[in-house]
Every structure is written in structure tokens, then in C-alpha cells.
Amino acid sequence: AEYMGEAQPMSQPKALLPPPVVGPLRPPHRLLLGPGPSNAHPSVYAAMSLPQIGHMDPDFISLAEEVKALLRYVWQTQNSFTIPCSGTGSAAWEAAVANVTHPGDVHLTLVSGYFGERHCDMASRYGAVVKRLDKPWGQVFSLDEIRAAIEEHKPQVLWVCHAETSTGALQPVEGIGQICREHDCLFMLDTVTSIGGAPIYLDEWLVDVSYAGSQKCLSCPPGVAPVTFGPRALERMERFAKEGRKVPSWYLDMTMIAKYLVGSSGAPRVYHHTAPISMIYALRQALHIVADEGLENAWQRHRETAEFLWEELEKLGLVLHVEREYRLPSLTTVRIPEGVDGAAVTKYVREQFHIEIGGGLGQLGGKVWRIGLMGFNSRKENALIVVAALKAAIEAQKKAQK
């Protein structure tokens, strides 16, 4: 029968909870001179405001190819599998571990800082048998020590931190890759705080897997991170796939992501996840800035700025934690003088001068300050500013103690 009644208006659904009162977004302005993130270049922020396109749009795929080419440049590698990973540097790190690790594999980890400890934790979660080579935090390892440890433990993977953000030490890398080749061991290198700020030659150093962060010397906000796999790592990943071993992490499964971001023989790209479009814009612009300056010039600028900072700090009578020969040009650790409250100094510098510096982590907690002059912030005027702020904070504390 025909319905003769009048149409009834639909009732409007009602929210069960009231909206929180948070007000407009007004983050404070800070000069970020800690261990990261660093301040992004203004043009990087501008790139993030550009209109988004779809993650499967051919123009986006072309843009991703440009990012990959720029990443190969800053890493000095020809690895075809070099991509921006959707996530922070820790996601790229976990992607590196997840895709080349099978339960029972031995991971030999060089531990001389906080992030060596983190790798031990991360690798163990993927079933690796973790073996450690330890040194006091802030020191570096010799080739003889590394060779002896590899011969003793016979690892499938050697993990090395090129730039230990917790200590400010720069690990010499040349020669390690050759030892790994002689013992059929993959060489995984953490370059989170060195990419764009210190010389890196992944191919020349025979590095098999590497990852980095966007928010340090590349001066891009965190949220997208580089990761690269060389031929030997890819061979291992392909063998795992043929044996039916699935990567434990769906999101970070590079065998699937390869069909989206790497492609092969003109095959159409396959959807895996929605890439962070605006973050890819930002990374593309940040890498373009490095390429426009020239990689050698960027390395030299970081080195000259760091040496200037070291001289100014030493003029105040402050002692640096790492031997000069092994200091990282992008991050400096300063020993907190006896009788000085390091946390109070950090707070004073932030509240009085809107400058962020970092405290120590792990074994160095309460013992050092960490000053980062990275990427866009690696300039001598920033070195002078942070030294003046430190001086004022220490003097104010001593005055209050009298």
C-alpha cells in the first residue's frame, strides 16, 4: 500500500560529551639548540602549507622519486631501495631491524651511549640474540676491538651508531664494512644525528642498512625518516620472503612498501598506506636546501660552527665530555661544573631566553648538557647566543647561592 503520511524530519544526533575548552593554538617561540628537533628552515614550513595531493597521484609518486634521489645524495649511496619512511627516526630504525632480523639471529651491538642500549632492546623484541661490546659513554671503538668481537660472536648483524646523540661522539666508520664482509655479517649504521651534518659515504663504507632522522641536521620537522637497504640486505629480505617468513610488523614491512615506493620494471604502484603528504613536501624542501648549499659546504659549516662553539665554551672554563678528535660537529656535550644544578640551568635558559638545550640521558643524566647546532641552526651567532645564555644562567645560580 502507498505510504500516505508526511515525511518526518530526522532528529539531529547529539554528542554525549561536551567539547574541551583548549583555546587557540599559541605555541611559544623557542630557539631549539638541544639534541633535536632543530628549528626548520622557513621555506620548509612554507612547503608544509602547500595544497595536498593524493598519495597515489602520479605527481606525488614523482615527488617521492625526487626525495629518494636527494636522499641518495646526502647519504652518498646508489641504493635503489632508499625511501622516506612514514614515521619518526625510530620508525625507520625499527623498519631496519624488523626486515633483516629472524629470531635467533645474533645482533652484535656497540654500546657506548643511550642509543646502543635502545638497539639492544629493539633487536631483542624481534627475537635477536643480543651480544654487546661496551665502552664508557663518550668513547669510540677501534677496528681491532670490533674485529675481535665479530670473530667471537659471529653475528648476522652488526649495529653501529655513527653519531651518538646521548654523548656527542662520532664513531669512525671506515674499515668496519670490510670486516663485516669478511664474516658474512650485515652492517647496520645509525646516522640519525650525522646525516647532512657530517661526512657519510654509505657505499664507500660498505654499509648494508642505514636509517636517519629528519629533525636534526636536515632541519625538517619530525614525522618522516629516511631508510635505505643495500644489495646484501635486500638479498636477505628476499630469502626470508621465499621461505615464507613474514616481517613481524605489517606497517613496516618493506616487501610491501617496496611495491608502493620503489616499484620495478614499470609495474604500477600498489597502495600500502597513506603517506604523510605534507611531511614529504617538507623533507623534499629540506633536502633541496642541502643540495643547493652543497653537501661538502654543509659538512664544513657544521664543523666550523662546532669548533667556534667549543672555543667559546672553553673560554667560560667549561669542560667538554668527548675528546676533540671524536666530537660530533652537530651536537656537543658539556660537563656540568661541580656545584651547579644542571636542570635548573636548563630551565633558566628556557624560561629567560626561550632557548632549549638538553640534559644528559642514562649514565650521563645530571652530568652533562647537550647543545645541538644542527642544520638551519648551525650558525656562529647561535653559538654565541647559547654560550651567553649558559653564562648568565650559571652566574645567576651562583649569585642566588651566596
Side-chain angles (χ1 to χ4, degrees), residues 198-373:
I200 299 175
Y201 303 96
L202 291 190
D203 287 357
E204 184 177 319
W205 290 344
L206 303 178
V207 175
D208 297 301
V209 186
S210 190
Y211 55 89
S214 62
Q215 74 277 17
K216 306 209 183 224
C217 298
L218 297 182
S219 290
C220 174
V224 63
V227 65
T228 185
F229 297 86
R232 295 174 75 239
L234 293 176
E235 181 182 341
R236 182 173 176 83
M237 293 157 62
E238 290 166 5
R239 187 172 77 250
F240 285 174
K242 288 178 181 177
E243 294 170 353
R245 304 179 187 181
K246 285 189 175 182
V247 176
S249 169
W250 181 92
Y251 183 64
L252 299 174
D253 186 342
M254 293 295 129
T255 63
M256 293 194 292
I257 292 176
K259 298 173 183 177
Y260 173 40
L261 285 178
V262 180
S264 61
S265 305
R269 302 301 177 95
V270 178
Y271 164 73
H272 178 263
H273 67 281
T274 303
I277 310 299
S278 297
M279 289 307 309
I280 298 295
Y281 290 172
L283 181 59
R284 197 266 190 200
Q285 178 59 21
L287 292 166
H288 171 72
I289 291 170
V290 175
D292 189 57
E293 180 180 9
L295 197 51
E296 302 91 337
N297 294 329
W299 293 340
Q300 184 65 22
R301 173 170 55 83
H302 279 83
R303 187 72 193 181
E304 290 177 355
T305 304
E307 289 177 349
F308 180 76
L309 172 67
W310 301 341
E311 292 169 3
E312 294 302 311
L313 289 168
E314 287 168 349
K315 288 178 183 177
L316 294 184
L318 296 172
V319 178
L320 307 188
H321 182 65
V322 177
E323 292 180 35
R324 188 181 185 92
E325 182 181 358
Y326 302 116
R327 287 179 197 161
L328 183 57
S330 50
L331 186 133
T332 298
T333 43
V334 186
R335 291 179 183 167
I336 297 171
E338 187 175 352
V340 173
D341 183 336
V345 167
T346 301
K347 181 180 179 183
Y348 187 94
V349 166
R350 182 181 66 251
E351 293 181 348
Q352 298 298 317
F353 304 110
H354 304 286
I355 298 170
E356 178 181 287
I357 62 173
L361 292 174
Q363 293 181 16
L364 294 180
K367 299 178 181 178
V368 298
W369 294 301
R370 292 183 294 158
I371 299 174
L373 295 176

Side-chain angles (χ1 to χ4, degrees), residues 71-77 191 195 200 202 210-212 226-228:
L71 286 174
R72 293 187 190 103
Y73 169 67
V74 295
W75 257 329
Q76 293 291 283
T77 182
T191 61
I195 190 170
I200 299 175
L202 291 190
S210 190
Y211 55 89
V227 65
T228 185

